Amino acid sequence: MRSKGQTMGERIKLTSGDGFVFNAYQAAPAGTAKGAVVVIHEVWGLNNFVRIEVDRYAAAGYLAIAPALMDRVDLGYESEDYGPTGFARIGELMKEFNQATALPDVEAAIKAVAGAGKVGITGYCFGGATSWRAAHAGLGLSAASGYYGGGLLNYIDLAPQVPTEMHYAEADHGIPLEQVEALRKRYPDMGIYLYPGDHGFCNFDRADKYHAASAKLANERTLAFFAKHLA
């Protein structure tokens, strides 16, 4: 894992279908890309965690990109404040955020990397729910692997149109196990995984949430899933 500031990618601009120009972070593999991966951030925007996740997918051989979906309400927003002040700011932003803008901005990111081959999508929390919605919309995607997407039951009837898997935490009080089981019942043939730990178990910048063994296993599953469906 690289420390802060040691990223391998670059910050770029994307233009959505309505002409809105927003930020993104992109990293390319050392050799020929074997496909592309769109990484959807948590509610903290293009912070250290999501940039290093983009780099990790690039190191695995994919052209990877993370669009800054929060730019619609606060252009350039990104935060690593996981305390009360940070959560208060997130609450303010989410009151203003219009979910209708998310998928067009995701589609702009997909189009930006589609030249590398088949495109997969992944994301965390806010990004996990967005990944599910994108899998339902299609948008030129070939696979989706989402992590602890909030508002699960709000989207349960949005059946994915591409191969999809989802990852959840056993101790996530925001997404009770009953909701995960409801998802499993609705989609019995889908890979829906539970891991020890809490919401946010992949975020290595959150000592109170990170669960290394769970993150490792979930990441391995996602890479195997993309290797199968993006080939």
Side-chain angles (χ1 to χ4, degrees), residues 155-167:
Y155 308 119
I156 196 168
D157 291 328
L158 300 181
Q161 302 302 303
V162 300
T164 298
E165 65 176 16
M166 299 296 287
H167 310 269

Side-chain angles (χ1 to χ4, degrees), residues 20 37 42 72 106 142 190 203:
F20 179 70
V37 175
E42 299 172 305
R72 290 279 185 170
V106 169
S142 293
M190 184 183 295
N203 191 336

Side-chain angles (χ1 to χ4, degrees), residues 3-227:
S3 61
K4 296 178 182 180
Q6 294 179 305
T7 51
M8 61 187 281
E10 61 178 343
R11 293 177 183 269
I12 63 171
K13 300 290 185 181
L14 296 176
T15 303
S16 196
D18 63 356
F20 179 70
V21 178
F22 61 105
N23 293 291
Y25 177 78
Q26 179 174 288
T32 301
K34 55 186 181 184
V37 175
V38 176
V39 182
I40 307 299
H41 55 70
E42 299 172 305
V43 286
W44 288 279
L46 299 185
N47 64 8
N48 181 68
F49 166 66
V50 74
R51 294 196 305 272
I52 288 183
E53 288 299 284
V54 170
D55 289 353
R56 182 172 63 81
Y57 282 103
Y62 297 99
L63 177 60
I65 189 170
L69 302 188
M70 300 304 291
D71 273 8
R72 290 279 185 170
V73 292
D74 188 355
L75 189 64
Y77 168 82
E78 58 186 66
S79 174
E80 293 170 28
D81 182 354
Y82 299 114
T85 302
F87 274 96
R89 178 60 178 148
I90 287 301
E92 295 171 357
L93 292 176
M94 290 308 296
K95 287 178 183 178
E96 300 177 42
F97 187 80
N98 181 358
Q99 290 287 354
T101 66
L103 294 190
D105 291 353
V106 169
E107 187 174 22
I110 293 168
K111 289 178 177 178
V113 295
K118 293 181 179 179
V119 183
I121 190 168
T122 189
Y124 309 88
C125 184
F126 165 86
T130 302
S131 296
W132 178 274
R133 293 173 58 224
H136 168 72
L139 305 180
L141 292 167
S142 293
S145 180
Y147 290 72
Y148 33 85
L152 175 60
L153 296 185
N154 294 329
Y155 308 119
I156 196 168
D157 291 328
L158 300 181
Q161 302 302 303
V162 300
T164 298
E165 65 176 16
M166 299 296 287
H167 310 269
Y168 294 98
E170 294 174 347
D172 189 338
H173 298 294
I175 306 176
L177 295 180
E178 293 80 9
Q179 293 188 14
V180 179
E181 291 307 316
L183 189 69
R184 281 178 166 165
K185 184 177 181 180
R186 178 72 171 78
Y187 301 98
D189 297 326
M190 184 183 295
I192 299 172
Y193 303 104
L194 273 172
Y195 302 86
D198 201 348
H199 188 91
F201 64 79
C202 281
N203 191 336
F204 42 76
D205 281 337
R206 299 188 67 183
D208 61 329
K209 299 291 186 181
Y210 182 54
H211 192 279
S214 295
K216 180 176 184 294
L217 178 56
N219 290 336
E220 288 172 349
R221 281 174 169 158
T222 297
L223 285 174
F225 191 73
F226 284 162

